[in-house]
Amino acid sequence: MNIVHEIIEAHPETISPLVGISQMRYILNNLYSVKDIPGDVVELACNIGTTALYIRRLLDKLQSDKVYHVYDSFEGLPEPAEVDGDLCKKGDMKREQTEFIESFISADLVCPIIHKGWFAEIPDSEYPDKICFAFFDGDFFSSILDSFCKVYHKMSPGGIILVHDYEGAGLPGVKKACDYFLKDKPERVEDIFWGIAKFVKE
């Protein structure tokens, strides 16, 4: 039994429906694949900690020295642009930072380093100098674009960026932000699994 399968078997249900268990397996398998690539791990938009708990479990199982950082406004979604459609509005998805921390306390896991604020407003110095794995779950065009702007240039060659809701019909701004940012970059979508797009840094 490999490590990812072991974690999923031990924790077959997530704490919210935002990311399903099949998606979680995909996320963890990609994180595992970059375990030997230099750099830390970042998650932009962590909500209550659904994905974060599993990422922490894998890093712990690997006894990894990679530092895990999460970023969230803890104020919900920002103002949507016209390109984002009307499925979600400003303030949706709001969870308190204390709720995120409580998720880790309840699971008896070490909390990642938390950076509170809108992604673009968090200083560059609070993002790792080198990143091997990034998970973007910002839902709106501006959030995904800001995620790329903060993280892309710090990705190690071979590092992986996963973008949630890339094919979400109700969140069209996600794909549009990816396409816009990467239009003059060499990276293209390597894979799409249940709406999660995978990009590998060249």
Side-chain angles (χ1 to χ4, degrees):
M1 183 183 296
N2 66 32
I3 290 176
V4 170
H5 184 67
E6 181 181 335
I7 292 170
I8 297 298
E9 285 288 301
H11 307 278
E13 295 182 1
T14 64
I15 62 172
S16 85
L18 296 177
V19 180
I21 206 68
S22 294
Q23 292 175 309
M24 203 69 70
R25 183 180 289 106
Y26 182 75
I27 293 165
L28 295 188
N29 280 328
N30 276 283
L31 174 56
Y32 182 84
S33 74
V34 298
K35 61 183 174 59
D36 296 324
I37 291 178
D40 294 325
V41 175
V42 300
E43 179 178 0
L44 282 77
C46 60
N47 196 260
I48 197 174
T50 305
T51 307
L53 292 171
Y54 285 84
I55 290 176
R56 169 55 74 200
R57 287 172 180 135
L58 179 54
L59 293 174
D60 287 352
K61 281 281 188 182
L62 293 171
Q63 297 183 332
S64 175
D65 60 359
K66 295 182 181 299
V67 181
Y68 181 25
H69 301 258
V70 297
Y71 304 80
D72 203 293
S73 68
F74 297 104
E75 295 181 24
L77 295 172
E79 190 71 45
E82 185 175 346
V83 72
D84 290 312
D86 56 8
L87 178 66
C88 296
K89 63 183 184 300
K90 182 178 180 180
D92 283 355
M93 306 296 180
K94 180 178 180 179
R95 304 302 291 255
E96 299 293 337
Q97 183 174 337
T98 52
E99 294 180 88
F100 178 86
I101 294 170
E102 182 58 39
S103 296
F104 276 80
I105 293 173
S106 297
D108 195 25
L109 294 169
V110 176
C111 199
I113 298 173
I114 299 171
H115 305 266
K116 183 177 180 178
W118 303 109
F119 305 147
E121 296 174 5
I122 295 173
D124 287 347
S125 61
E126 292 191 35
Y127 292 85
D129 292 334
K130 190 175 293 184
I131 299 168
C132 71
F133 182 86
F135 184 63
F136 297 168
D137 197 8
D139 293 343
F140 283 171
F141 181 93
S142 63
S143 298
I144 297 300
L145 184 61
D146 289 343
S147 298
F148 272 110
C149 288
K150 286 292 186 177
V151 167
Y152 175 85
H153 62 290
K154 296 189 173 194
M155 295 295 299
S156 296
I160 289 174
I161 297 174
L162 297 182
V163 182
H164 193 235
D165 293 313
Y166 181 81
E167 286 190 324
L171 297 169
V174 173
K175 182 178 185 302
K176 290 182 185 299
C178 294
D179 293 346
Y180 178 81
F181 182 84
L182 295 170
K183 64 184 178 181
D184 59 349
K185 312 287 192 304
E187 291 80 16
R188 294 295 179 266
V189 177
E190 296 273 335
D191 186 32
I192 302 174
F193 180 83
W194 282 51
I196 300 175
K198 174 181 176 178
F199 302 90
V200 179
K201 185 68 163 60
E202 293 195 4

mmCIF file with all atom_site columns, all heavy atoms in Angstrom, residues 168-193:
data_model
loop_
_atom_site.group_PDB
_atom_site.id
_atom_site.type_symbol
_atom_site.label_atom_id
_atom_site.label_alt_id
_atom_site.label_comp_id
_atom_site.label_asym_id
_atom_site.label_entity_id
_atom_site.label_seq_id
_atom_site.pdbx_PDB_ins_code
_atom_site.Cartn_x
_atom_site.Cartn_y
_atom_site.Cartn_z
_atom_site.occupancy
_atom_site.B_iso_or_equiv
_atom_site.pdbx_formal_charge
_atom_site.auth_seq_id
_atom_site.auth_comp_id
_atom_site.auth_asym_id
_atom_site.auth_atom_id
_atom_site.pdbx_PDB_model_num
ATOM 1   N N   . GLY A 1 168 ? -15.031 24.378 -14.043 1.00 0.00 ? 168 GLY A N   1
ATOM 2   C CA  . GLY A 1 168 ? -16.316 24.639 -13.404 1.00 0.00 ? 168 GLY A CA  1
ATOM 3   C C   . GLY A 1 168 ? -17.165 25.598 -14.222 1.00 0.00 ? 168 GLY A C   1
ATOM 4   O O   . GLY A 1 168 ? -16.798 26.762 -14.393 1.00 0.00 ? 168 GLY A O   1
ATOM 5   N N   . ALA A 1 169 ? -18.279 25.114 -14.734 1.00 0.00 ? 169 ALA A N   1
ATOM 6   C CA  . ALA A 1 169 ? -19.140 25.945 -15.586 1.00 0.00 ? 169 ALA A CA  1
ATOM 7   C C   . ALA A 1 169 ? -19.632 27.182 -14.840 1.00 0.00 ? 169 ALA A C   1
ATOM 8   O O   . ALA A 1 169 ? -19.847 28.231 -15.441 1.00 0.00 ? 169 ALA A O   1
ATOM 9   C CB  . ALA A 1 169 ? -20.322 25.117 -16.084 1.00 0.00 ? 169 ALA A CB  1
ATOM 10  N N   . GLY A 1 170 ? -19.782 27.055 -13.531 1.00 0.00 ? 170 GLY A N   1
ATOM 11  C CA  . GLY A 1 170 ? -20.280 28.181 -12.762 1.00 0.00 ? 170 GLY A CA  1
ATOM 12  C C   . GLY A 1 170 ? -19.212 29.175 -12.367 1.00 0.00 ? 170 GLY A C   1
ATOM 13  O O   . GLY A 1 170 ? -19.529 30.242 -11.835 1.00 0.00 ? 170 GLY A O   1
ATOM 14  N N   . LEU A 1 171 ? -17.934 28.833 -12.616 1.00 0.00 ? 171 LEU A N   1
ATOM 15  C CA  . LEU A 1 171 ? -16.824 29.716 -12.243 1.00 0.00 ? 171 LEU A CA  1
ATOM 16  C C   . LEU A 1 171 ? -15.904 29.922 -13.454 1.00 0.00 ? 171 LEU A C   1
ATOM 17  O O   . LEU A 1 171 ? -14.724 29.536 -13.432 1.00 0.00 ? 171 LEU A O   1
ATOM 18  C CB  . LEU A 1 171 ? -16.043 29.110 -11.061 1.00 0.00 ? 171 LEU A CB  1
ATOM 19  C CG  . LEU A 1 171 ? -16.836 28.951 -9.759  1.00 0.00 ? 171 LEU A CG  1
ATOM 20  C CD1 . LEU A 1 171 ? -16.056 28.104 -8.759  1.00 0.00 ? 171 LEU A CD1 1
ATOM 21  C CD2 . LEU A 1 171 ? -17.178 30.319 -9.163  1.00 0.00 ? 171 LEU A CD2 1
ATOM 22  N N   . PRO A 1 172 ? -16.419 30.558 -14.503 1.00 0.00 ? 172 PRO A N   1
ATOM 23  C CA  . PRO A 1 172 ? -15.649 30.689 -15.744 1.00 0.00 ? 172 PRO A CA  1
ATOM 24  C C   . PRO A 1 172 ? -14.394 31.539 -15.622 1.00 0.00 ? 172 PRO A C   1
ATOM 25  O O   . PRO A 1 172 ? -13.483 31.436 -16.446 1.00 0.00 ? 172 PRO A O   1
ATOM 26  C CB  . PRO A 1 172 ? -16.651 31.341 -16.713 1.00 0.00 ? 172 PRO A CB  1
ATOM 27  C CG  . PRO A 1 172 ? -17.607 32.083 -15.818 1.00 0.00 ? 172 PRO A CG  1
ATOM 28  C CD  . PRO A 1 172 ? -17.738 31.208 -14.599 1.00 0.00 ? 172 PRO A CD  1
ATOM 29  N N   . GLY A 1 173 ? -14.322 32.379 -14.592 1.00 0.00 ? 173 GLY A N   1
ATOM 30  C CA  . GLY A 1 173 ? -13.150 33.231 -14.425 1.00 0.00 ? 173 GLY A CA  1
ATOM 31  C C   . GLY A 1 173 ? -11.876 32.464 -14.126 1.00 0.00 ? 173 GLY A C   1
ATOM 32  O O   . GLY A 1 173 ? -10.778 32.958 -14.401 1.00 0.00 ? 173 GLY A O   1
ATOM 33  N N   . VAL A 1 174 ? -12.004 31.249 -13.575 1.00 0.00 ? 174 VAL A N   1
ATOM 34  C CA  . VAL A 1 174 ? -10.820 30.460 -13.214 1.00 0.00 ? 174 VAL A CA  1
ATOM 35  C C   . VAL A 1 174 ? -10.008 30.111 -14.457 1.00 0.00 ? 174 VAL A C   1
ATOM 36  O O   . VAL A 1 174 ? -8.812  30.397 -14.547 1.00 0.00 ? 174 VAL A O   1
ATOM 37  C CB  . VAL A 1 174 ? -11.231 29.182 -12.450 1.00 0.00 ? 174 VAL A CB  1
ATOM 38  C CG1 . VAL A 1 174 ? -10.017 28.277 -12.237 1.00 0.00 ? 174 VAL A CG1 1
ATOM 39  C CG2 . VAL A 1 174 ? -11.858 29.540 -11.109 1.00 0.00 ? 174 VAL A CG2 1
ATOM 40  N N   . LYS A 1 175 ? -10.635 29.492 -15.435 1.00 0.00 ? 175 LYS A N   1
ATOM 41  C CA  . LYS A 1 175 ? -9.930  29.121 -16.669 1.00 0.00 ? 175 LYS A CA  1
ATOM 42  C C   . LYS A 1 175 ? -9.446  30.359 -17.412 1.00 0.00 ? 175 LYS A C   1
ATOM 43  O O   . LYS A 1 175 ? -8.327  30.385 -17.960 1.00 0.00 ? 175 LYS A O   1
ATOM 44  C CB  . LYS A 1 175 ? -10.817 28.281 -17.573 1.00 0.00 ? 175 LYS A CB  1
ATOM 45  C CG  . LYS A 1 175 ? -10.122 27.809 -18.854 1.00 0.00 ? 175 LYS A CG  1
ATOM 46  C CD  . LYS A 1 175 ? -11.037 26.950 -19.689 1.00 0.00 ? 175 LYS A CD  1
ATOM 47  C CE  . LYS A 1 175 ? -10.300 26.391 -20.899 1.00 0.00 ? 175 LYS A CE  1
ATOM 48  N NZ  . LYS A 1 175 ? -9.732  27.422 -21.776 1.00 0.00 ? 175 LYS A NZ  1
ATOM 49  N N   . LYS A 1 176 ? -10.271 31.391 -17.443 1.00 0.00 ? 176 LYS A N   1
ATOM 50  C CA  . LYS A 1 176 ? -9.889  32.614 -18.154 1.00 0.00 ? 176 LYS A CA  1
ATOM 51  C C   . LYS A 1 176 ? -8.637  33.238 -17.521 1.00 0.00 ? 176 LYS A C   1
ATOM 52  O O   . LYS A 1 176 ? -7.777  33.768 -18.230 1.00 0.00 ? 176 LYS A O   1
ATOM 53  C CB  . LYS A 1 176 ? -11.051 33.603 -18.166 1.00 0.00 ? 176 LYS A CB  1
ATOM 54  C CG  . LYS A 1 176 ? -12.216 33.164 -19.047 1.00 0.00 ? 176 LYS A CG  1
ATOM 55  C CD  . LYS A 1 176 ? -13.325 34.185 -19.063 1.00 0.00 ? 176 LYS A CD  1
ATOM 56  C CE  . LYS A 1 176 ? -14.539 33.687 -19.840 1.00 0.00 ? 176 LYS A CE  1
ATOM 57  N NZ  . LYS A 1 176 ? -14.242 33.416 -21.243 1.00 0.00 ? 176 LYS A NZ  1
ATOM 58  N N   . ALA A 1 177 ? -8.521  33.170 -16.207 1.00 0.00 ? 177 ALA A N   1
ATOM 59  C CA  . ALA A 1 177 ? -7.332  33.710 -15.531 1.00 0.00 ? 177 ALA A CA  1
ATOM 60  C C   . ALA A 1 177 ? -6.094  32.884 -15.876 1.00 0.00 ? 177 ALA A C   1
ATOM 61  O O   . ALA A 1 177 ? -5.019  33.445 -16.115 1.00 0.00 ? 177 ALA A O   1
ATOM 62  C CB  . ALA A 1 177 ? -7.549  33.722 -14.019 1.00 0.00 ? 177 ALA A CB  1
ATOM 63  N N   . CYS A 1 178 ? -6.243  31.570 -15.896 1.00 0.00 ? 178 CYS A N   1
ATOM 64  C CA  . CYS A 1 178 ? -5.125  30.697 -16.282 1.00 0.00 ? 178 CYS A CA  1
ATOM 65  C C   . CYS A 1 178 ? -4.677  31.002 -17.705 1.00 0.00 ? 178 CYS A C   1
ATOM 66  O O   . CYS A 1 178 ? -3.479  31.171 -17.975 1.00 0.00 ? 178 CYS A O   1
ATOM 67  C CB  . CYS A 1 178 ? -5.531  29.229 -16.174 1.00 0.00 ? 178 CYS A CB  1
ATOM 68  S SG  . CYS A 1 178 ? -5.883  28.642 -14.509 1.00 0.00 ? 178 CYS A SG  1
ATOM 69  N N   . ASP A 1 179 ? -5.634  31.077 -18.610 1.00 0.00 ? 179 ASP A N   1
ATOM 70  C CA  . ASP A 1 179 ? -5.316  31.342 -20.018 1.00 0.00 ? 179 ASP A CA  1
ATOM 71  C C   . ASP A 1 179 ? -4.654  32.709 -20.175 1.00 0.00 ? 179 ASP A C   1
ATOM 72  O O   . ASP A 1 179 ? -3.695  32.865 -20.941 1.00 0.00 ? 179 ASP A O   1
ATOM 73  C CB  . ASP A 1 179 ? -6.590  31.279 -20.865 1.00 0.00 ? 179 ASP A CB  1
ATOM 74  C CG  . ASP A 1 179 ? -7.180  29.879 -20.941 1.00 0.00 ? 179 ASP A CG  1
ATOM 75  O OD1 . ASP A 1 179 ? -6.480  28.911 -20.562 1.00 0.00 ? 179 ASP A OD1 1
ATOM 76  O OD2 . ASP A 1 179 ? -8.347  29.761 -21.361 1.00 0.00 ? 179 ASP A OD2 1
ATOM 77  N N   . TYR A 1 180 ? -5.158  33.691 -19.461 1.00 0.00 ? 180 TYR A N   1
ATOM 78  C CA  . TYR A 1 180 ? -4.621  35.050 -19.569 1.00 0.00 ? 180 TYR A CA  1
ATOM 79  C C   . TYR A 1 180 ? -3.188  35.111 -19.070 1.00 0.00 ? 180 TYR A C   1
ATOM 80  O O   . TYR A 1 180 ? -2.302  35.666 -19.739 1.00 0.00 ? 180 TYR A O   1
ATOM 81  C CB  . TYR A 1 180 ? -5.500  36.020 -18.778 1.00 0.00 ? 180 TYR A CB  1
ATOM 82  C CG  . TYR A 1 180 ? -5.002  37.443 -18.784 1.00 0.00 ? 180 TYR A CG  1
ATOM 83  C CD1 . TYR A 1 180 ? -5.260  38.285 -19.860 1.00 0.00 ? 180 TYR A CD1 1
ATOM 84  C CD2 . TYR A 1 180 ? -4.260  37.938 -17.718 1.00 0.00 ? 180 TYR A CD2 1
ATOM 85  C CE1 . TYR A 1 180 ? -4.791  39.593 -19.886 1.00 0.00 ? 180 TYR A CE1 1
ATOM 86  C CE2 . TYR A 1 180 ? -3.785  39.243 -17.730 1.00 0.00 ? 180 TYR A CE2 1
ATOM 87  C CZ  . TYR A 1 180 ? -4.050  40.063 -18.806 1.00 0.00 ? 180 TYR A CZ  1
ATOM 88  O OH  . TYR A 1 180 ? -3.577  41.353 -18.823 1.00 0.00 ? 180 TYR A OH  1
ATOM 89  N N   . PHE A 1 181 ? -2.939  34.536 -17.902 1.00 0.00 ? 181 PHE A N   1
ATOM 90  C CA  . PHE A 1 181 ? -1.590  34.628 -17.330 1.00 0.00 ? 181 PHE A CA  1
ATOM 91  C C   . PHE A 1 181 ? -0.575  33.829 -18.148 1.00 0.00 ? 181 PHE A C   1
ATOM 92  O O   . PHE A 1 181 ? 0.568   34.269 -18.331 1.00 0.00 ? 181 PHE A O   1
ATOM 93  C CB  . PHE A 1 181 ? -1.582  34.140 -15.884 1.00 0.00 ? 181 PHE A CB  1
ATOM 94  C CG  . PHE A 1 181 ? -0.230  34.260 -15.236 1.00 0.00 ? 181 PHE A CG  1
ATOM 95  C CD1 . PHE A 1 181 ? 0.175   35.456 -14.657 1.00 0.00 ? 181 PHE A CD1 1
ATOM 96  C CD2 . PHE A 1 181 ? 0.664   33.194 -15.226 1.00 0.00 ? 181 PHE A CD2 1
ATOM 97  C CE1 . PHE A 1 181 ? 1.430   35.592 -14.084 1.00 0.00 ? 181 PHE A CE1 1
ATOM 98  C CE2 . PHE A 1 181 ? 1.919   33.315 -14.649 1.00 0.00 ? 181 PHE A CE2 1
ATOM 99  C CZ  . PHE A 1 181 ? 2.305   34.514 -14.080 1.00 0.00 ? 181 PHE A CZ  1
ATOM 100 N N   . LEU A 1 182 ? -0.977  32.682 -18.634 1.00 0.00 ? 182 LEU A N   1
ATOM 101 C CA  . LEU A 1 182 ? -0.032  31.774 -19.298 1.00 0.00 ? 182 LEU A CA  1
ATOM 102 C C   . LEU A 1 182 ? 0.059   31.979 -20.805 1.00 0.00 ? 182 LEU A C   1
ATOM 103 O O   . LEU A 1 182 ? 0.790   31.250 -21.482 1.00 0.00 ? 182 LEU A O   1
ATOM 104 C CB  . LEU A 1 182 ? -0.414  30.322 -18.999 1.00 0.00 ? 182 LEU A CB  1
ATOM 105 C CG  . LEU A 1 182 ? -0.287  29.911 -17.523 1.00 0.00 ? 182 LEU A CG  1
ATOM 106 C CD1 . LEU A 1 182 ? -0.924  28.546 -17.296 1.00 0.00 ? 182 LEU A CD1 1
ATOM 107 C CD2 . LEU A 1 182 ? 1.173   29.903 -17.075 1.00 0.00 ? 182 LEU A CD2 1
ATOM 108 N N   . LYS A 1 183 ? -0.632  32.978 -21.335 1.00 0.00 ? 183 LYS A N   1
ATOM 109 C CA  . LYS A 1 183 ? -0.669  33.147 -22.787 1.00 0.00 ? 183 LYS A CA  1
ATOM 110 C C   . LYS A 1 183 ? 0.707   33.382 -23.392 1.00 0.00 ? 183 LYS A C   1
ATOM 111 O O   . LYS A 1 183 ? 0.966   32.989 -24.542 1.00 0.00 ? 183 LYS A O   1
ATOM 112 C CB  . LYS A 1 183 ? -1.623  34.279 -23.178 1.00 0.00 ? 183 LYS A CB  1
ATOM 113 C CG  . LYS A 1 183 ? -1.205  35.658 -22.677 1.00 0.00 ? 183 LYS A CG  1
ATOM 114 C CD  . LYS A 1 183 ? -2.256  36.708 -23.024 1.00 0.00 ? 183 LYS A CD  1
ATOM 115 C CE  . LYS A 1 183 ? -1.877  38.077 -22.477 1.00 0.00 ? 183 LYS A CE  1
ATOM 116 N NZ  . LYS A 1 183 ? -2.905  39.096 -22.780 1.00 0.00 ? 183 LYS A NZ  1
ATOM 117 N N   . ASP A 1 184 ? 1.631   34.000 -22.631 1.00 0.00 ? 184 ASP A N   1
ATOM 118 C CA  . ASP A 1 184 ? 2.974   34.237 -23.147 1.00 0.00 ? 184 ASP A CA  1
ATOM 119 C C   . ASP A 1 184 ? 4.023   33.409 -22.394 1.00 0.00 ? 184 ASP A C   1
ATOM 120 O O   . ASP A 1 184 ? 5.203   33.713 -22.411 1.00 0.00 ? 184 ASP A O   1
ATOM 121 C CB  . ASP A 1 184 ? 3.325   35.724 -23.055 1.00 0.00 ? 184 ASP A CB  1
ATOM 122 C CG  . ASP A 1 184 ? 3.259   36.262 -21.627 1.00 0.00 ? 184 ASP A CG  1
ATOM 123 O OD1 . ASP A 1 184 ? 2.752   35.542 -20.736 1.00 0.00 ? 184 ASP A OD1 1
ATOM 124 O OD2 . ASP A 1 184 ? 3.710   37.402 -21.408 1.00 0.00 ? 184 ASP A OD2 1
ATOM 125 N N   . LYS A 1 185 ? 3.540   32.341 -21.713 1.00 0.00 ? 185 LYS A N   1
ATOM 126 C CA  . LYS A 1 185 ? 4.425   31.448 -20.968 1.00 0.00 ? 185 LYS A CA  1
ATOM 127 C C   . LYS A 1 185 ? 4.456   30.085 -21.675 1.00 0.00 ? 185 LYS A C   1
ATOM 128 O O   . LYS A 1 185 ? 3.545   29.750 -22.439 1.00 0.00 ? 185 LYS A O   1
ATOM 129 C CB  . LYS A 1 185 ? 3.922   31.263 -19.533 1.00 0.00 ? 185 LYS A CB  1
ATOM 130 C CG  . LYS A 1 185 ? 3.547   32.540 -18.784 1.00 0.00 ? 185 LYS A CG  1
ATOM 131 C CD  . LYS A 1 185 ? 4.747   33.343 -18.378 1.00 0.00 ? 185 LYS A CD  1
ATOM 132 C CE  . LYS A 1 185 ? 4.384   34.466 -17.384 1.00 0.00 ? 185 LYS A CE  1
ATOM 133 N NZ  . LYS A 1 185 ? 3.338   35.402 -17.860 1.00 0.00 ? 185 LYS A NZ  1
ATOM 134 N N   . PRO A 1 186 ? 5.479   29.279 -21.408 1.00 0.00 ? 186 PRO A N   1
ATOM 135 C CA  . PRO A 1 186 ? 5.570   27.983 -22.090 1.00 0.00 ? 186 PRO A CA  1
ATOM 136 C C   . PRO A 1 186 ? 4.634   26.914 -21.531 1.00 0.00 ? 186 PRO A C   1
ATOM 137 O O   . PRO A 1 186 ? 4.339   25.936 -22.218 1.00 0.00 ? 186 PRO A O   1
ATOM 138 C CB  . PRO A 1 186 ? 7.029   27.564 -21.864 1.00 0.00 ? 186 PRO A CB  1
ATOM 139 C CG  . PRO A 1 186 ? 7.433   28.258 -20.601 1.00 0.00 ? 186 PRO A CG  1
ATOM 140 C CD  . PRO A 1 186 ? 6.694   29.578 -20.613 1.00 0.00 ? 186 PRO A CD  1
ATOM 141 N N   . GLU A 1 187 ? 4.156   27.092 -20.308 1.00 0.00 ? 187 GLU A N   1
ATOM 142 C CA  . GLU A 1 187 ? 3.349   26.042 -19.686 1.00 0.00 ? 187 GLU A CA  1
ATOM 143 C C   . GLU A 1 187 ? 1.939   25.980 -20.277 1.00 0.00 ? 187 GLU A C   1
ATOM 144 O O   . GLU A 1 187 ? 1.330   27.008 -20.575 1.00 0.00 ? 187 GLU A O   1
ATOM 145 C CB  . GLU A 1 187 ? 3.242   26.275 -18.172 1.00 0.00 ? 187 GLU A CB  1
ATOM 146 C CG  . GLU A 1 187 ? 4.530   26.061 -17.421 1.00 0.00 ? 187 GLU A CG  1
ATOM 147 C CD  . GLU A 1 187 ? 5.483   27.226 -17.502 1.00 0.00 ? 187 GLU A CD  1
ATOM 148 O OE1 . GLU A 1 187 ? 5.036   28.339 -17.894 1.00 0.00 ? 187 GLU A OE1 1
ATOM 149 O OE2 . GLU A 1 187 ? 6.660   27.061 -17.161 1.00 0.00 ? 187 GLU A OE2 1
ATOM 150 N N   . ARG A 1 188 ? 1.459   24.759 -20.432 1.00 0.00 ? 188 ARG A N   1
ATOM 151 C CA  . ARG A 1 188 ? 0.095   24.499 -20.863 1.00 0.00 ? 188 ARG A CA  1
ATOM 152 C C   . ARG A 1 188 ? -0.506  23.437 -19.954 1.00 0.00 ? 188 ARG A C   1
ATOM 153 O O   . ARG A 1 188 ? 0.208   22.767 -19.216 1.00 0.00 ? 188 ARG A O   1
ATOM 154 C CB  . ARG A 1 188 ? 0.066   24.027 -22.335 1.00 0.00 ? 188 ARG A CB  1
ATOM 155 C CG  . ARG A 1 188 ? 0.508   25.095 -23.327 1.00 0.00 ? 188 ARG A CG  1
ATOM 156 C CD  . ARG A 1 188 ? -0.445  26.274 -23.345 1.00 0.00 ? 188 ARG A CD  1
ATOM 157 N NE  . ARG A 1 188 ? -0.037  27.343 -24.265 1.00 0.00 ? 188 ARG A NE  1
ATOM 158 C CZ  . ARG A 1 188 ? 0.682   28.401 -23.917 1.00 0.00 ? 188 ARG A CZ  1
ATOM 159 N NH1 . ARG A 1 188 ? 1.091   28.533 -22.651 1.00 0.00 ? 188 ARG A NH1 1
ATOM 160 N NH2 . ARG A 1 188 ? 1.001   29.332 -24.786 1.00 0.00 ? 188 ARG A NH2 1
ATOM 161 N N   . VAL A 1 189 ? -1.800  23.250 -20.024 1.00 0.00 ? 189 VAL A N   1
ATOM 162 C CA  . VAL A 1 189 ? -2.458  22.251 -19.180 1.00 0.00 ? 189 VAL A CA  1
ATOM 163 C C   . VAL A 1 189 ? -1.901  20.869 -19.495 1.00 0.00 ? 189 VAL A C   1
ATOM 164 O O   . VAL A 1 189 ? -1.930  20.417 -20.639 1.00 0.00 ? 189 VAL A O   1
ATOM 165 C CB  . VAL A 1 189 ? -3.983  22.260 -19.386 1.00 0.00 ? 189 VAL A CB  1
ATOM 166 C CG1 . VAL A 1 189 ? -4.630  21.156 -18.560 1.00 0.00 ? 189 VAL A CG1 1
ATOM 167 C CG2 . VAL A 1 189 ? -4.570  23.600 -18.992 1.00 0.00 ? 189 VAL A CG2 1
ATOM 168 N N   . GLU A 1 190 ? -1.365  20.205 -18.479 1.00 0.00 ? 190 GLU A N   1
ATOM 169 C CA  . GLU A 1 190 ? -0.821  18.850 -18.632 1.00 0.00 ? 190 GLU A CA  1
ATOM 170 C C   . GLU A 1 190 ? -1.912  17.802 -18.465 1.00 0.00 ? 190 GLU A C   1
ATOM 171 O O   . GLU A 1 190 ? -1.835  16.724 -19.053 1.00 0.00 ? 190 GLU A O   1
ATOM 172 C CB  . GLU A 1 190 ? 0.268   18.612 -17.583 1.00 0.00 ? 190 GLU A CB  1
ATOM 173 C CG  . GLU A 1 190 ? 1.492   19.491 -17.717 1.00 0.00 ? 190 GLU A CG  1
ATOM 174 C CD  . GLU A 1 190 ? 2.532   18.904 -18.652 1.00 0.00 ? 190 GLU A CD  1
ATOM 175 O OE1 . GLU A 1 190 ? 2.550   17.674 -18.815 1.00 0.00 ? 190 GLU A OE1 1
ATOM 176 O OE2 . GLU A 1 190 ? 3.310   19.691 -19.207 1.00 0.00 ? 190 GLU A OE2 1
ATOM 177 N N   . ASP A 1 191 ? -2.899  18.123 -17.651 1.00 0.00 ? 191 ASP A N   1
ATOM 178 C CA  . ASP A 1 191 ? -3.909  17.132 -17.304 1.00 0.00 ? 191 ASP A CA  1
ATOM 179 C C   . ASP A 1 191 ? -5.067  17.857 -16.640 1.00 0.00 ? 191 ASP A C   1
ATOM 180 O O   . ASP A 1 191 ? -4.891  18.941 -16.064 1.00 0.00 ? 191 ASP A O   1
ATOM 181 C CB  . ASP A 1 191 ? -3.298  16.105 -16.335 1.00 0.00 ? 191 ASP A CB  1
ATOM 182 C CG  . ASP A 1 191 ? -4.238  14.946 -16.031 1.00 0.00 ? 191 ASP A CG  1
ATOM 183 O OD1 . ASP A 1 191 ? -5.033  14.577 -16.919 1.00 0.00 ? 191 ASP A OD1 1
ATOM 184 O OD2 . ASP A 1 191 ? -4.189  14.414 -14.905 1.00 0.00 ? 191 ASP A OD2 1
ATOM 185 N N   . ILE A 1 192 ? -6.256  17.283 -16.736 1.00 0.00 ? 192 ILE A N   1
ATOM 186 C CA  . ILE A 1 192 ? -7.413  17.797 -16.010 1.00 0.00 ? 192 ILE A CA  1
ATOM 187 C C   . ILE A 1 192 ? -8.122  16.605 -15.381 1.00 0.00 ? 192 ILE A C   1
ATOM 188 O O   . ILE A 1 192 ? -8.448  15.637 -16.062 1.00 0.00 ? 192 ILE A O   1
ATOM 189 C CB  . ILE A 1 192 ? -8.391  18.566 -16.923 1.00 0.00 ? 192 ILE A CB  1
ATOM 190 C CG1 . ILE A 1 192 ? -7.694  19.742 -17.605 1.00 0.00 ? 192 ILE A CG1 1
ATOM 191 C CG2 . ILE A 1 192 ? -9.589  19.066 -16.111 1.00 0.00 ? 192 ILE A CG2 1
ATOM 192 C CD1 . ILE A 1 192 ? -8.566  20.452 -18.624 1.00 0.00 ? 192 ILE A CD1 1
ATOM 193 N N   . PHE A 1 193 ? -8.328  16.688 -14.076 1.00 0.00 ? 193 PHE A N   1
ATOM 194 C CA  . PHE A 1 193 ? -8.991  15.600 -13.360 1.00 0.00 ? 193 PHE A CA  1
ATOM 195 C C   . PHE A 1 193 ? -10.112 16.184 -12.511 1.00 0.00 ? 193 PHE A C   1
ATOM 196 O O   . PHE A 1 193 ? -9.869  16.951 -11.585 1.00 0.00 ? 193 PHE A O   1
ATOM 197 C CB  . PHE A 1 193 ? -7.992  14.853 -12.465 1.00 0.00 ? 193 PHE A CB  1
ATOM 198 C CG  . PHE A 1 193 ? -8.600  13.722 -11.691 1.00 0.00 ? 193 PHE A CG  1
ATOM 199 C CD1 . PHE A 1 193 ? -8.774  12.481 -12.275 1.00 0.00 ? 193 PHE A CD1 1
ATOM 200 C CD2 . PHE A 1 193 ? -9.026  13.906 -10.375 1.00 0.00 ? 193 PHE A CD2 1
ATOM 201 C CE1 . PHE A 1 193 ? -9.343  11.431 -11.571 1.00 0.00 ? 193 PHE A CE1 1
ATOM 202 C CE2 . PHE A 1 193 ? -9.603  12.870 -9.661  1.00 0.00 ? 193 PHE A CE2 1
ATOM 203 C CZ  . PHE A 1 193 ? -9.765  11.619 -10.266 1.00 0.00 ? 193 PHE A CZ  1
#
